[in-house]
């Protein structure tokens, strides 16, 4: 089995931007992992949002396409 290198696409501290980026990645079939900082994951479950930053991680082979999609809608 091949190893997949996971890299950070960007760090987000805004729930609206996080949801927009997740939708763009979903619409373009780019798998991602959400990595919460601190107690962010627990806070998101309890209150629906987090004051801590969240990293969006993608496979290294998808990073250029993901960045291009975000740049095309002025999320840089």
């Amino acid at each position: 089995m091949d190893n997949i290198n996971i890299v950070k696409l960007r760090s987000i501290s805004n729930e609206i931007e996080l949801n927009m980026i997740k939708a763009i990645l979903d619409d373009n079939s780019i798998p991602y992992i959400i990595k919460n900082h601190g107690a962010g994951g627990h806070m998101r479950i309890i209150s629906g949002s987090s004051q801590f930053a969240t990293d969006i991680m993608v496979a290294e082979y998808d990073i250029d396409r993901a960045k291009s999609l975000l740049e095309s809608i002025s999320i840089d």
Side-chain angles (χ1 to χ4, degrees), residues 3-76:
N3 289 331
I4 298 173
N5 291 327
I6 304 296
V7 295
K8 182 168 70 172
L9 174 61
R10 75 180 299 142
S11 188
I12 305 293
S13 57
N14 176 322
E15 289 295 316
I16 294 170
E17 187 177 0
L18 174 63
N19 289 326
M20 284 177 37
I21 293 172
K22 286 170 46 177
I24 290 166
L25 296 175
D26 286 338
D27 288 347
N28 288 278
S29 301
I30 298 176
Y32 58 89
I33 296 172
I34 301 299
K35 181 180 174 188
N36 293 294
H37 292 250
H42 300 290
M43 290 180 68
R44 191 168 275 112
I45 291 169
I46 293 169
S47 68
S49 65
S50 171
Q51 67 188 28
F52 296 97
T54 302
D55 292 339
I56 301 176
M57 313 293 287
V58 298
E60 188 173 33
Y61 57 78
D62 282 330
I63 191 74
D64 291 333
R65 187 165 64 112
K67 283 182 177 180
S68 177
L69 287 166
L70 297 184
E71 289 169 0
S72 72
I73 61 165
S74 298
I75 298 177
D76 51 3

